[in-house]
Amino acid sequence: MSETVAAYVRSSTEGQTVRHQRDDIRDWGNREDINSDSIDWYVDFAQSGADPGREQFEDLINSMHAGAYDVVAVWEISRLARLGSTYQQFFEVAEESETIVQSQTDGSMKSVPVGAGN
């Protein structure tokens, strides 16, 4: 069975790069036999995690809500948000759409983690 996979990466400032985030997610994909060319990438550059209105982040949530992905990969959970309410929204959509969140540093999650705004 082929899984549909998205990845979300974010840099907080202009001077930061997302290369290491992308590389780690690609390495994970290779270990899981997921072709990195088949991953849909959502990238927010120079965007604070405290801003819930990040364009690519909102697009990802909308796609998840529509059931587009089996897995969303992130480098670490802090790349998703800095506000509990934003975490809450993301993980509720993931749980409702049965999307697994795969963090390269935090592991795999299938439900809203304790302390994510709930």
Side-chain angles (χ1 to χ4, degrees):
M1 180 174 96
S2 179
E3 292 182 315
T4 54
V5 180
Y8 179 76
V9 296
R10 177 181 63 81
S11 68
S12 300
T13 65
E14 295 271 343
Q16 289 181 329
T17 179
V18 296
R19 177 176 282 148
H20 69 285
Q21 295 178 50
R22 283 183 183 262
D23 289 348
D24 284 355
I25 291 169
R26 283 188 182 114
D27 289 346
W28 162 80
N30 288 336
R31 288 190 307 273
E32 298 295 318
D33 292 324
I34 298 168
N35 182 335
S36 62
D37 291 337
S38 69
I39 297 173
D40 291 339
W41 292 89
Y42 293 81
V43 182
D44 281 314
F45 290 106
Q47 297 284 311
S48 169
D51 178 3
R54 291 167 277 137
E55 182 179 347
Q56 291 286 289
F57 184 73
E58 286 186 341
D59 288 350
L60 173 59
I61 287 178
N62 290 336
S63 294
M64 290 167 59
H65 190 67
Y69 300 110
D70 298 307
V71 178
V72 172
V74 296
W75 182 66
E76 71 177 16
I77 296 301
S78 72
R79 298 292 82 201
L80 293 171
R82 293 288 187 194
L83 298 173
S85 59
T86 306
Y87 277 122
Q88 180 81 21
Q89 176 193 16
F90 178 85
F91 281 104
E92 283 179 353
V93 170
E95 192 168 17
E96 290 168 5
S97 63
E98 299 181 357
T99 302
I100 295 170
V101 179
Q102 176 62 48
S103 167
Q104 304 315 296
T105 59
D106 304 303
S108 180
M109 294 166 226
K110 294 183 181 180
S111 61
V112 181
V114 174
N118 54 353

